[in-house]
PDB file of all heavy atoms in Angstrom:
ATOM      1  N   GLU A   1    -220.880  76.921 258.875  1.00  0.00           N
ATOM      2  CA  GLU A   1    -221.048  77.012 260.330  1.00  0.00           C
ATOM      3  C   GLU A   1    -221.243  78.462 260.763  1.00  0.00           C
ATOM      4  O   GLU A   1    -220.574  79.374 260.256  1.00  0.00           O
ATOM      5  CB  GLU A   1    -219.825  76.418 261.036  1.00  0.00           C
ATOM      6  CG  GLU A   1    -219.669  74.919 260.860  1.00  0.00           C
ATOM      7  CD  GLU A   1    -218.541  74.369 261.703  1.00  0.00           C
ATOM      8  OE1 GLU A   1    -218.743  74.266 262.941  1.00  0.00           O
ATOM      9  OE2 GLU A   1    -217.472  74.076 261.144  1.00  0.00           O
ATOM     10  N   THR A   2    -222.164  78.640 261.688  1.00  0.00           N
ATOM     11  CA  THR A   2    -222.446  79.978 262.218  1.00  0.00           C
ATOM     12  C   THR A   2    -222.344  79.969 263.741  1.00  0.00           C
ATOM     13  O   THR A   2    -222.296  78.906 264.368  1.00  0.00           O
ATOM     14  CB  THR A   2    -223.854  80.459 261.806  1.00  0.00           C
ATOM     15  OG1 THR A   2    -224.825  79.551 262.344  1.00  0.00           O
ATOM     16  CG2 THR A   2    -223.991  80.522 260.298  1.00  0.00           C
ATOM     17  N   GLU A   3    -222.328  81.152 264.296  1.00  0.00           N
ATOM     18  CA  GLU A   3    -222.322  81.327 265.750  1.00  0.00           C
ATOM     19  C   GLU A   3    -223.154  82.537 266.120  1.00  0.00           C
ATOM     20  O   GLU A   3    -223.520  83.345 265.258  1.00  0.00           O
ATOM     21  CB  GLU A   3    -220.883  81.500 266.254  1.00  0.00           C
ATOM     22  CG  GLU A   3    -220.200  82.740 265.718  1.00  0.00           C
ATOM     23  CD  GLU A   3    -218.769  82.901 266.218  1.00  0.00           C
ATOM     24  OE1 GLU A   3    -218.343  82.102 267.058  1.00  0.00           O
ATOM     25  OE2 GLU A   3    -218.093  83.834 265.732  1.00  0.00           O
ATOM     26  N   SER A   4    -223.465  82.673 267.399  1.00  0.00           N
ATOM     27  CA  SER A   4    -224.218  83.838 267.855  1.00  0.00           C
ATOM     28  C   SER A   4    -223.322  85.075 267.872  1.00  0.00           C
ATOM     29  O   SER A   4    -222.119  84.983 267.618  1.00  0.00           O
ATOM     30  CB  SER A   4    -224.785  83.574 269.254  1.00  0.00           C
ATOM     31  OG  SER A   4    -223.724  83.314 270.172  1.00  0.00           O
ATOM     32  N   CYS A   5    -223.903  86.191 268.198  1.00  0.00           N
ATOM     33  CA  CYS A   5    -223.166  87.463 268.187  1.00  0.00           C
ATOM     34  C   CYS A   5    -222.342  87.597 269.465  1.00  0.00           C
ATOM     35  O   CYS A   5    -222.701  88.361 270.388  1.00  0.00           O
ATOM     36  CB  CYS A   5    -224.120  88.626 268.023  1.00  0.00           C
ATOM     37  SG  CYS A   5    -225.111  88.561 266.511  1.00  0.00           S
ATOM     38  N   VAL A   6    -221.248  86.867 269.532  1.00  0.00           N
ATOM     39  CA  VAL A   6    -220.440  86.837 270.757  1.00  0.00           C
ATOM     40  C   VAL A   6    -219.737  88.167 271.020  1.00  0.00           C
ATOM     41  O   VAL A   6    -219.346  88.450 272.151  1.00  0.00           O
ATOM     42  CB  VAL A   6    -219.400  85.694 270.689  1.00  0.00           C
ATOM     43  CG1 VAL A   6    -220.092  84.344 270.714  1.00  0.00           C
ATOM     44  CG2 VAL A   6    -218.521  85.832 269.450  1.00  0.00           C
ATOM     45  N   ASP A   7    -219.561  88.988 270.002  1.00  0.00           N
ATOM     46  CA  ASP A   7    -218.914  90.294 270.184  1.00  0.00           C
ATOM     47  C   ASP A   7    -219.919  91.438 270.240  1.00  0.00           C
ATOM     48  O   ASP A   7    -219.540  92.615 270.107  1.00  0.00           O
ATOM     49  CB  ASP A   7    -217.918  90.544 269.039  1.00  0.00           C
ATOM     50  CG  ASP A   7    -216.750  89.565 269.088  1.00  0.00           C
ATOM     51  OD1 ASP A   7    -216.094  89.496 270.146  1.00  0.00           O
ATOM     52  OD2 ASP A   7    -216.524  88.854 268.090  1.00  0.00           O
ATOM     53  N   GLY A   8    -221.197  91.096 270.408  1.00  0.00           N
ATOM     54  CA  GLY A   8    -222.217  92.130 270.494  1.00  0.00           C
ATOM     55  C   GLY A   8    -222.784  92.493 269.135  1.00  0.00           C
ATOM     56  O   GLY A   8    -222.640  91.736 268.162  1.00  0.00           O
ATOM     57  N   TRP A   9    -223.441  93.643 269.058  1.00  0.00           N
ATOM     58  CA  TRP A   9    -224.143  94.047 267.853  1.00  0.00           C
ATOM     59  C   TRP A   9    -223.695  95.436 267.409  1.00  0.00           C
ATOM     60  O   TRP A   9    -223.277  96.261 268.223  1.00  0.00           O
ATOM     61  CB  TRP A   9    -225.654  94.071 268.086  1.00  0.00           C
ATOM     62  CG  TRP A   9    -226.274  92.710 268.205  1.00  0.00           C
ATOM     63  CD1 TRP A   9    -226.913  92.020 267.235  1.00  0.00           C
ATOM     64  CD2 TRP A   9    -226.320  91.878 269.376  1.00  0.00           C
ATOM     65  NE1 TRP A   9    -227.345  90.806 267.704  1.00  0.00           N
ATOM     66  CE2 TRP A   9    -226.998  90.692 269.033  1.00  0.00           C
ATOM     67  CE3 TRP A   9    -225.853  92.017 270.680  1.00  0.00           C
ATOM     68  CZ2 TRP A   9    -227.222  89.654 269.918  1.00  0.00           C
ATOM     69  CZ3 TRP A   9    -226.083  90.985 271.573  1.00  0.00           C
ATOM     70  CH2 TRP A   9    -226.754  89.810 271.196  1.00  0.00           C
ATOM     71  N   THR A  10    -223.817  95.666 266.136  1.00  0.00           N
ATOM     72  CA  THR A  10    -223.582  96.984 265.549  1.00  0.00           C
ATOM     73  C   THR A  10    -224.925  97.546 265.104  1.00  0.00           C
ATOM     74  O   THR A  10    -225.676  96.859 264.388  1.00  0.00           O
ATOM     75  CB  THR A  10    -222.617  96.896 264.346  1.00  0.00           C
ATOM     76  OG1 THR A  10    -221.365  96.390 264.798  1.00  0.00           O
ATOM     77  CG2 THR A  10    -222.417  98.265 263.720  1.00  0.00           C
ATOM     78  N   TYR A  11    -225.237  98.763 265.529  1.00  0.00           N
ATOM     79  CA  TYR A  11    -226.542  99.371 265.242  1.00  0.00           C
ATOM     80  C   TYR A  11    -226.393 100.542 264.279  1.00  0.00           C
ATOM     81  O   TYR A  11    -225.456 101.334 264.387  1.00  0.00           O
ATOM     82  CB  TYR A  11    -227.201  99.858 266.537  1.00  0.00           C
ATOM     83  CG  TYR A  11    -227.455  98.774 267.548  1.00  0.00           C
ATOM     84  CD1 TYR A  11    -226.503  98.477 268.535  1.00  0.00           C
ATOM     85  CD2 TYR A  11    -228.624  98.033 267.528  1.00  0.00           C
ATOM     86  CE1 TYR A  11    -226.729  97.475 269.469  1.00  0.00           C
ATOM     87  CE2 TYR A  11    -228.856  97.026 268.458  1.00  0.00           C
ATOM     88  CZ  TYR A  11    -227.900  96.754 269.431  1.00  0.00           C
ATOM     89  OH  TYR A  11    -228.124  95.761 270.350  1.00  0.00           O
ATOM     90  N   LYS A  12    -227.343 100.632 263.358  1.00  0.00           N
ATOM     91  CA  LYS A  12    -227.400 101.812 262.497  1.00  0.00           C
ATOM     92  C   LYS A  12    -228.013 102.957 263.299  1.00  0.00           C
ATOM     93  O   LYS A  12    -228.986 102.762 264.033  1.00  0.00           O
ATOM     94  CB  LYS A  12    -228.243 101.520 261.252  1.00  0.00           C
ATOM     95  CG  LYS A  12    -227.516 100.696 260.200  1.00  0.00           C
ATOM     96  CD  LYS A  12    -228.311 100.666 258.914  1.00  0.00           C
ATOM     97  CE  LYS A  12    -227.528  99.967 257.818  1.00  0.00           C
ATOM     98  NZ  LYS A  12    -226.296 100.689 257.464  1.00  0.00           N
ATOM     99  N   ARG A  13    -227.479 104.142 263.139  1.00  0.00           N
ATOM    100  CA  ARG A  13    -227.943 105.276 263.936  1.00  0.00           C
ATOM    101  C   ARG A  13    -228.603 106.338 263.061  1.00  0.00           C
ATOM    102  O   ARG A  13    -228.399 107.538 263.247  1.00  0.00           O
ATOM    103  CB  ARG A  13    -226.773 105.865 264.725  1.00  0.00           C
ATOM    104  CG  ARG A  13    -226.110 104.833 265.638  1.00  0.00           C
ATOM    105  CD  ARG A  13    -225.066 105.440 266.550  1.00  0.00           C
ATOM    106  NE  ARG A  13    -224.404 104.413 267.339  1.00  0.00           N
ATOM    107  CZ  ARG A  13    -224.887 103.906 268.472  1.00  0.00           C
ATOM    108  NH1 ARG A  13    -226.046 104.343 268.936  1.00  0.00           N
ATOM    109  NH2 ARG A  13    -224.237 102.966 269.127  1.00  0.00           N
ATOM    110  N   THR A  14    -229.386 105.871 262.091  1.00  0.00           N
ATOM    111  CA  THR A  14    -230.098 106.805 261.219  1.00  0.00           C
ATOM    112  C   THR A  14    -231.496 107.113 261.766  1.00  0.00           C
ATOM    113  O   THR A  14    -231.838 108.269 261.990  1.00  0.00           O
ATOM    114  CB  THR A  14    -230.211 106.219 259.805  1.00  0.00           C
ATOM    115  OG1 THR A  14    -230.741 104.879 259.887  1.00  0.00           O
ATOM    116  CG2 THR A  14    -228.839 106.160 259.151  1.00  0.00           C
ATOM    117  N   GLU A  15    -232.297 106.066 262.020  1.00  0.00           N
ATOM    118  CA  GLU A  15    -233.652 106.264 262.551  1.00  0.00           C
ATOM    119  C   GLU A  15    -233.615 106.634 264.031  1.00  0.00           C
ATOM    120  O   GLU A  15    -234.385 107.462 264.491  1.00  0.00           O
ATOM    121  CB  GLU A  15    -234.483 104.999 262.351  1.00  0.00           C
ATOM    122  CG  GLU A  15    -235.963 105.198 262.628  1.00  0.00           C
ATOM    123  CD  GLU A  15    -236.789 103.980 262.269  1.00  0.00           C
ATOM    124  OE1 GLU A  15    -236.237 102.859 262.235  1.00  0.00           O
ATOM    125  OE2 GLU A  15    -237.992 104.150 262.013  1.00  0.00           O
ATOM    126  N   PHE A  16    -232.708 106.019 264.794  1.00  0.00           N
ATOM    127  CA  PHE A  16    -232.522 106.315 266.214  1.00  0.00           C
ATOM    128  C   PHE A  16    -231.031 106.484 266.491  1.00  0.00           C
ATOM    129  O   PHE A  16    -230.221 105.714 265.983  1.00  0.00           O
ATOM    130  CB  PHE A  16    -233.059 105.183 267.096  1.00  0.00           C
ATOM    131  CG  PHE A  16    -234.482 104.777 266.825  1.00  0.00           C
ATOM    132  CD1 PHE A  16    -234.762 103.616 266.121  1.00  0.00           C
ATOM    133  CD2 PHE A  16    -235.534 105.560 267.271  1.00  0.00           C
ATOM    134  CE1 PHE A  16    -236.052 103.232 265.861  1.00  0.00           C
ATOM    135  CE2 PHE A  16    -236.840 105.187 267.020  1.00  0.00           C
ATOM    136  CZ  PHE A  16    -237.106 104.026 266.311  1.00  0.00           C
ATOM    137  N   ILE A  17    -230.709 107.471 267.313  1.00  0.00           N
ATOM    138  CA  ILE A  17    -229.314 107.607 267.767  1.00  0.00           C
ATOM    139  C   ILE A  17    -229.050 106.628 268.900  1.00  0.00           C
ATOM    140  O   ILE A  17    -228.037 105.928 268.927  1.00  0.00           O
ATOM    141  CB  ILE A  17    -229.025 109.054 268.221  1.00  0.00           C
ATOM    142  CG1 ILE A  17    -229.122 110.006 267.032  1.00  0.00           C
ATOM    143  CG2 ILE A  17    -227.638 109.153 268.871  1.00  0.00           C
ATOM    144  CD1 ILE A  17    -228.952 111.465 267.403  1.00  0.00           C
ATOM    145  N   SER A  18    -230.002 106.549 269.834  1.00  0.00           N
ATOM    146  CA  SER A  18    -229.856 105.651 270.972  1.00  0.00           C
ATOM    147  C   SER A  18    -231.228 105.292 271.521  1.00  0.00           C
ATOM    148  O   SER A  18    -232.105 106.160 271.640  1.00  0.00           O
ATOM    149  CB  SER A  18    -229.008 106.312 272.067  1.00  0.00           C
ATOM    150  OG  SER A  18    -228.956 105.491 273.218  1.00  0.00           O
ATOM    151  N   THR A  19    -231.438 104.022 271.806  1.00  0.00           N
ATOM    152  CA  THR A  19    -232.657 103.557 272.463  1.00  0.00           C
ATOM    153  C   THR A  19    -232.245 102.590 273.571  1.00  0.00           C
ATOM    154  O   THR A  19    -231.082 102.199 273.663  1.00  0.00           O
ATOM    155  CB  THR A  19    -233.590 102.827 271.474  1.00  0.00           C
ATOM    156  OG1 THR A  19    -232.982 101.583 271.087  1.00  0.00           O
ATOM    157  CG2 THR A  19    -233.845 103.664 270.226  1.00  0.00           C
ATOM    158  N   ILE A  20    -233.194 102.187 274.386  1.00  0.00           N
ATOM    159  CA  ILE A  20    -232.851 101.219 275.428  1.00  0.00           C
ATOM    160  C   ILE A  20    -232.476  99.883 274.803  1.00  0.00           C
ATOM    161  O   ILE A  20    -231.768  99.080 275.421  1.00  0.00           O
ATOM    162  CB  ILE A  20    -233.998 101.038 276.450  1.00  0.00           C
ATOM    163  CG1 ILE A  20    -235.243 100.418 275.787  1.00  0.00           C
ATOM    164  CG2 ILE A  20    -234.337 102.349 277.132  1.00  0.00           C
ATOM    165  CD1 ILE A  20    -236.314  99.996 276.774  1.00  0.00           C
ATOM    166  N   VAL A  21    -232.941  99.637 273.581  1.00  0.00           N
ATOM    167  CA  VAL A  21    -232.590  98.400 272.874  1.00  0.00           C
ATOM    168  C   VAL A  21    -231.105  98.396 272.530  1.00  0.00           C
ATOM    169  O   VAL A  21    -230.398  97.410 272.781  1.00  0.00           O
ATOM    170  CB  VAL A  21    -233.448  98.246 271.603  1.00  0.00           C
ATOM    171  CG1 VAL A  21    -232.944  97.071 270.761  1.00  0.00           C
ATOM    172  CG2 VAL A  21    -234.908  98.029 271.973  1.00  0.00           C
ATOM    173  N   SER A  22    -230.614  99.492 271.956  1.00  0.00           N
ATOM    174  CA  SER A  22    -229.191  99.563 271.609  1.00  0.00           C
ATOM    175  C   SER A  22    -228.316  99.770 272.849  1.00  0.00           C
ATOM    176  O   SER A  22    -227.156  99.369 272.880  1.00  0.00           O
ATOM    177  CB  SER A  22    -228.949 100.693 270.607  1.00  0.00           C
ATOM    178  OG  SER A  22    -229.327 101.952 271.140  1.00  0.00           O
ATOM    179  N   GLU A  23    -228.893 100.398 273.890  1.00  0.00           N
ATOM    180  CA  GLU A  23    -228.132 100.647 275.123  1.00  0.00           C
ATOM    181  C   GLU A  23    -227.804  99.344 275.842  1.00  0.00           C
ATOM    182  O   GLU A  23    -226.685  99.153 276.324  1.00  0.00           O
ATOM    183  CB  GLU A  23    -228.945 101.561 276.047  1.00  0.00           C
ATOM    184  CG  GLU A  23    -228.269 101.895 277.348  1.00  0.00           C
ATOM    185  CD  GLU A  23    -227.500 103.205 277.288  1.00  0.00           C
ATOM    186  OE1 GLU A  23    -227.591 103.909 276.276  1.00  0.00           O
ATOM    187  OE2 GLU A  23    -226.812 103.512 278.268  1.00  0.00           O
ATOM    188  N   TRP A  24    -228.796  98.450 275.939  1.00  0.00           N
ATOM    189  CA  TRP A  24    -228.611  97.214 276.702  1.00  0.00           C
ATOM    190  C   TRP A  24    -228.767  95.962 275.848  1.00  0.00           C
ATOM    191  O   TRP A  24    -229.010  94.866 276.366  1.00  0.00           O
ATOM    192  CB  TRP A  24    -229.579  97.194 277.891  1.00  0.00           C
ATOM    193  CG  TRP A  24    -229.295  98.296 278.874  1.00  0.00           C
ATOM    194  CD1 TRP A  24    -228.132  98.523 279.536  1.00  0.00           C
ATOM    195  CD2 TRP A  24    -230.194  99.337 279.291  1.00  0.00           C
ATOM    196  NE1 TRP A  24    -228.237  99.630 280.342  1.00  0.00           N
ATOM    197  CE2 TRP A  24    -229.485 100.160 280.220  1.00  0.00           C
ATOM    198  CE3 TRP A  24    -231.507  99.665 278.994  1.00  0.00           C
ATOM    199  CZ2 TRP A  24    -230.061 101.264 280.828  1.00  0.00           C
ATOM    200  CZ3 TRP A  24    -232.083 100.774 279.586  1.00  0.00           C
ATOM    201  CH2 TRP A  24    -231.366 101.561 280.494  1.00  0.00           C
ATOM    202  N   ASP A  25    -228.646  96.100 274.535  1.00  0.00           N
ATOM    203  CA  ASP A  25    -228.685  94.968 273.601  1.00  0.00           C
ATOM    204  C   ASP A  25    -229.922  94.095 273.807  1.00  0.00           C
ATOM    205  O   ASP A  25    -229.835  92.872 273.970  1.00  0.00           O
ATOM    206  CB  ASP A  25    -227.411  94.116 273.727  1.00  0.00           C
ATOM    207  CG  ASP A  25    -226.181  94.830 273.179  1.00  0.00           C
ATOM    208  OD1 ASP A  25    -226.333  95.656 272.260  1.00  0.00           O
ATOM    209  OD2 ASP A  25    -225.075  94.564 273.678  1.00  0.00           O
ATOM    210  N   LEU A  26    -231.095  94.711 273.763  1.00  0.00           N
ATOM    211  CA  LEU A  26    -232.350  93.969 273.943  1.00  0.00           C
ATOM    212  C   LEU A  26    -232.816  93.417 272.602  1.00  0.00           C
ATOM    213  O   LEU A  26    -233.907  93.726 272.100  1.00  0.00           O
ATOM    214  CB  LEU A  26    -233.416  94.879 274.557  1.00  0.00           C
ATOM    215  CG  LEU A  26    -233.037  95.581 275.862  1.00  0.00           C
ATOM    216  CD1 LEU A  26    -234.213  96.397 276.379  1.00  0.00           C
ATOM    217  CD2 LEU A  26    -232.583  94.582 276.916  1.00  0.00           C
ATOM    218  N   VAL A  27    -231.989  92.583 271.993  1.00  0.00           N
ATOM    219  CA  VAL A  27    -232.305  91.983 270.703  1.00  0.00           C
ATOM    220  C   VAL A  27    -232.093  90.474 270.790  1.00  0.00           C
ATOM    221  O   VAL A  27    -231.547  89.968 271.776  1.00  0.00           O
ATOM    222  CB  VAL A  27    -231.416  92.578 269.581  1.00  0.00           C
ATOM    223  CG1 VAL A  27    -231.765  94.037 269.334  1.00  0.00           C
ATOM    224  CG2 VAL A  27    -229.941  92.437 269.927  1.00  0.00           C
ATOM    225  N   CYS A  28    -232.527  89.802 269.737  1.00  0.00           N
ATOM    226  CA  CYS A  28    -232.411  88.335 269.663  1.00  0.00           C
ATOM    227  C   CYS A  28    -233.062  87.675 270.880  1.00  0.00           C
ATOM    228  O   CYS A  28    -234.224  87.939 271.148  1.00  0.00           O
ATOM    229  CB  CYS A  28    -230.949  87.949 269.493  1.00  0.00           C
ATOM    230  SG  CYS A  28    -230.249  88.621 267.939  1.00  0.00           S
ATOM    231  N   ARG A  29    -232.340  86.924 271.670  1.00  0.00           N
ATOM    232  CA  ARG A  29    -232.976  86.222 272.792  1.00  0.00           C
ATOM    233  C   ARG A  29    -233.450  87.163 273.886  1.00  0.00           C
ATOM    234  O   ARG A  29    -234.298  86.801 274.703  1.00  0.00           O
ATOM    235  CB  ARG A  29    -232.020  85.177 273.376  1.00  0.00           C
ATOM    236  CG  ARG A  29    -230.780  85.739 274.041  1.00  0.00           C
ATOM    237  CD  ARG A  29    -229.874  84.633 274.561  1.00  0.00           C
ATOM    238  NE  ARG A  29    -228.701  85.163 275.260  1.00  0.00           N
ATOM    239  CZ  ARG A  29    -228.704  85.516 276.538  1.00  0.00           C
ATOM    240  NH1 ARG A  29    -229.807  85.385 277.263  1.00  0.00           N
ATOM    241  NH2 ARG A  29    -227.608  85.989 277.104  1.00  0.00           N
ATOM    242  N   LEU A  30    -232.920  88.391 273.931  1.00  0.00           N
ATOM    243  CA  LEU A  30    -233.362  89.370 274.929  1.00  0.00           C
ATOM    244  C   LEU A  30    -234.453  90.306 274.396  1.00  0.00           C
ATOM    245  O   LEU A  30    -234.875  91.219 275.083  1.00  0.00           O
ATOM    246  CB  LEU A  30    -232.173  90.220 275.411  1.00  0.00           C
ATOM    247  CG  LEU A  30    -231.082  89.486 276.199  1.00  0.00           C
ATOM    248  CD1 LEU A  30    -230.004  90.472 276.636  1.00  0.00           C
ATOM    249  CD2 LEU A  30    -231.663  88.758 277.412  1.00  0.00           C
ATOM    250  N   ARG A  31    -234.906  90.056 273.191  1.00  0.00           N
ATOM    251  CA  ARG A  31    -235.908  90.951 272.602  1.00  0.00           C
ATOM    252  C   ARG A  31    -237.199  91.043 273.417  1.00  0.00           C
ATOM    253  O   ARG A  31    -237.816  92.101 273.467  1.00  0.00           O
ATOM    254  CB  ARG A  31    -236.211  90.496 271.165  1.00  0.00           C
ATOM    255  CG  ARG A  31    -237.161  91.436 270.456  1.00  0.00           C
ATOM    256  CD  ARG A  31    -237.233  91.183 268.974  1.00  0.00           C
ATOM    257  NE  ARG A  31    -238.151  92.095 268.316  1.00  0.00           N
ATOM    258  CZ  ARG A  31    -238.284  92.222 267.015  1.00  0.00           C
ATOM    259  NH1 ARG A  31    -237.532  91.485 266.217  1.00  0.00           N
ATOM    260  NH2 ARG A  31    -239.152  93.058 266.502  1.00  0.00           N
ATOM    261  N   PRO A  32    -237.680  89.957 274.051  1.00  0.00           N
ATOM    262  CA  PRO A  32    -238.900  90.089 274.867  1.00  0.00           C
ATOM    263  C   PRO A  32    -238.797  91.155 275.962  1.00  0.00           C
ATOM    264  O   PRO A  32    -239.823  91.662 276.429  1.00  0.00           O
ATOM    265  CB  PRO A  32    -239.070  88.687 275.471  1.00  0.00           C
ATOM    266  CG  PRO A  32    -238.414  87.775 274.480  1.00  0.00           C
ATOM    267  CD  PRO A  32    -237.232  88.541 273.971  1.00  0.00           C
ATOM    268  N   LEU A  33    -237.579  91.501 276.376  1.00  0.00           N
ATOM    269  CA  LEU A  33    -237.426  92.527 277.415  1.00  0.00           C
ATOM    270  C   LEU A  33    -237.864  93.896 276.914  1.00  0.00           C
ATOM    271  O   LEU A  33    -238.193  94.773 277.716  1.00  0.00           O
ATOM    272  CB  LEU A  33    -235.971  92.580 277.895  1.00  0.00           C
ATOM    273  CG  LEU A  33    -235.453  91.337 278.633  1.00  0.00           C
ATOM    274  CD1 LEU A  33    -234.010  91.546 279.076  1.00  0.00           C
ATOM    275  CD2 LEU A  33    -236.339  91.023 279.842  1.00  0.00           C
ATOM    276  N   LYS A  34    -237.860  94.082 275.611  1.00  0.00           N
ATOM    277  CA  LYS A  34    -238.358  95.354 275.054  1.00  0.00           C
ATOM    278  C   LYS A  34    -239.837  95.528 275.397  1.00  0.00           C
ATOM    279  O   LYS A  34    -240.252  96.566 275.919  1.00  0.00           O
ATOM    280  CB  LYS A  34    -238.161  95.357 273.540  1.00  0.00           C
ATOM    281  CG  LYS A  34    -238.869  96.511 272.818  1.00  0.00           C
ATOM    282  CD  LYS A  34    -238.837  96.307 271.325  1.00  0.00           C
ATOM    283  CE  LYS A  34    -239.562  97.412 270.578  1.00  0.00           C
ATOM    284  NZ  LYS A  34    -240.997  97.476 270.865  1.00  0.00           N
ATOM    285  N   GLN A  35    -240.653  94.502 275.098  1.00  0.00           N
ATOM    286  CA  GLN A  35    -242.070  94.567 275.433  1.00  0.00           C
ATOM    287  C   GLN A  35    -242.294  94.523 276.939  1.00  0.00           C
ATOM    288  O   GLN A  35    -243.244  95.111 277.455  1.00  0.00           O
ATOM    289  CB  GLN A  35    -242.816  93.413 274.753  1.00  0.00           C
ATOM    290  CG  GLN A  35    -242.855  93.491 273.236  1.00  0.00           C
ATOM    291  CD  GLN A  35    -243.640  94.686 272.725  1.00  0.00           C
ATOM    292  OE1 GLN A  35    -244.349  95.349 273.467  1.00  0.00           O
ATOM    293  NE2 GLN A  35    -243.490  94.973 271.444  1.00  0.00           N
ATOM    294  N   MET A  36    -241.396  93.841 277.638  1.00  0.00           N
ATOM    295  CA  MET A  36    -241.531  93.757 279.086  1.00  0.00           C
ATOM    296  C   MET A  36    -241.466  95.136 279.728  1.00  0.00           C
ATOM    297  O   MET A  36    -242.178  95.419 280.699  1.00  0.00           O
ATOM    298  CB  MET A  36    -240.438  92.854 279.663  1.00  0.00           C
ATOM    299  CG  MET A  36    -240.495  92.676 281.175  1.00  0.00           C
ATOM    300  SD  MET A  36    -242.034  91.889 281.735  1.00  0.00           S
ATOM    301  CE  MET A  36    -241.787  90.237 281.089  1.00  0.00           C
TER     302      MET A  36
END
């Protein structure tokens, strides 16, 4: 059994220290907001 990321996400900070994706969790179901 699996579940979604209810506690948020952990980001690697090697390629980027901070982006709007990591700032506002624009991943998974919110990923289209990146292109938006």
Side-chain angles (χ1 to χ4, degrees):
E1 293 187 74
T2 61
E3 63 180 355
S4 60
C5 301
V6 293
D7 294 305
W9 288 262
T10 299
Y11 300 92
K12 283 190 174 296
R13 302 187 184 277
T14 51
E15 191 173 24
F16 307 103
I17 294 176
S18 175
T19 69
I20 65 170
V21 172
S22 60
E23 180 94 6
W24 296 302
D25 289 331
L26 306 183
V27 292
C28 298
R29 66 181 183 84
L30 294 182
R31 184 167 180 171
L33 294 181
K34 169 190 178 296
Q35 294 295 348
M36 181 62 69

